[in-house]
Amino acid sequence: MDSIYGEHAAQLEATLEKLLAEIDAIRADMSAATGMDPVEHTLGRIKTEESMREKCRRQGLPETEASALETIHDAIGVRVVCAFLDDVYEIRDRLAALPFLEVVEEKNYIRHAKPNGYRSLHLIVRVDGRYFAEIQLRTISMDTWAALEHHLKYKKDVRGNLNLITGELKRCADELASTDASMQTIRDMIRTM
Ligand code: 0O2
């Protein structure tokens, strides 16, 4: 079977590398300015063939290059995990200011958390006027929660009261959000001393 990405696989990889390099540059610049690395880690991936085809089917789209590259916007995915909330927004602003990048959509699941407690700032961007990418920016706490929730979601043999587990997960997400806010306040206090 031909790749759903057609002849674009290499270009998608190159675009991903360009984005990661730019994020590294932003990170180095912010580190030099403040003496503190704002990023805990970054991840980048091209959505696998199987996962892209599955997403097309789920959305009722034909399994074509146009669906994968134009209708669906996360063939390229980048995750930036930051130490502090402020860093999430500063990196967002710096990315938005890049001349080769256009922010097509912003989904702020930090200000408006998903009902299950999921928090993250998602940017749908278009790079070089050509390829779309989804950039997820979040704090370490948000990332830890999302990893755990993802793990539980795909665990097929969950025993116990699902409603209780869902409620507890939501409570943890809210507590972590409150901790993030406190950590940011502590950082601001240290900086103004
Ligand atoms: P992967 O493998 O992480 O890339 P859709 O993309 O159709 O699922 P939508 O509304 O277009 O939905 O995108 P949304 O919900 O803004 O963001 C989708 C991605 O955000 C997901 O990618 C996850 O990475 C992450 N995400 C969104 N909601 C949750 C959540 O409740 N829990 C966790 N752990 N992650 C979430 P995919 O598609 O799952 O695949």
Side-chain angles (χ1 to χ4, degrees):
M1 194 194 292
D2 289 340
S3 164
I4 195 164
Y5 297 125
E7 302 296 309
H8 297 267
Q11 288 282 74
L12 288 171
E13 284 290 349
T15 304
L16 172 62
E17 290 312 316
K18 180 170 178 164
L19 275 175
L20 290 172
E22 206 58 53
I23 290 163
D24 271 352
I26 290 172
R27 183 177 182 175
D29 194 49
M30 287 170 69
S31 296
T34 64
M36 197 189 147
D37 190 347
V39 175
E40 210 268 332
H41 69 272
T42 55
L43 278 177
R45 62 107 185 94
I46 303 296
K47 208 173 190 73
T48 63
E49 180 82 24
E50 190 191 351
S51 171
M52 181 55 84
R53 287 186 184 276
E54 188 277 321
K55 187 162 183 174
C56 287
R57 288 195 291 274
R58 185 159 36 90
Q59 299 201 349
L61 295 167
E63 293 175 43
T64 60
E65 194 180 299
S67 300
L69 298 180
E70 299 298 330
T71 314
I72 292 175
H73 293 156
D74 68 345
I76 301 170
V78 173
R79 185 171 296 150
V80 185
V81 179
C82 298
F84 291 95
L85 265 175
D86 269 8
D87 297 325
V88 164
Y89 289 105
E90 176 152 5
I91 293 172
R92 185 271 311 267
D93 291 346
R94 285 174 178 249
L95 284 168
L98 293 172
F100 65 85
L101 185 151
E102 179 198 352
V103 178
V104 177
E105 191 183 355
E106 177 173 307
K107 301 185 210 175
N108 194 334
Y109 300 126
I110 296 178
R111 200 157 296 145
H112 307 286
K114 287 197 171 183
N116 63 356
Y118 177 77
R119 286 173 172 81
S120 201
L121 181 68
H122 292 190
L123 303 179
I124 304 296
V125 303
R126 195 164 199 177
V127 180
D128 295 327
R130 181 65 189 94
Y131 295 108
F132 290 97
E134 180 181 86
I135 304 178
Q136 301 180 348
L137 297 141
R138 48 171 82 146
T139 63
I140 298 168
S141 305
M142 294 170 196
D143 192 53
T144 305
W145 184 93
L148 177 65
E149 192 265 354
H150 186 265
H151 180 71
L152 292 176
K153 194 157 53 186
Y154 292 100
K155 209 166 155 28
K156 298 211 166 39
D157 58 344
V158 176
R159 270 167 290 207
N161 184 333
L162 256 187
N163 278 341
L164 183 65
I165 293 170
T166 308
E168 282 300 288
L169 265 176
K170 168 81 168 69
R171 189 179 59 77
C172 285
D174 294 346
E175 283 179 6
L176 288 167
S178 151
T179 305
D180 267 340
S182 303
M183 296 293 270
Q184 181 65 53
T185 305
I186 293 167
R187 184 205 219 183
D188 294 344
M189 283 159 67
I190 291 168
R191 281 191 167 165
T192 51
M193 277 194 321

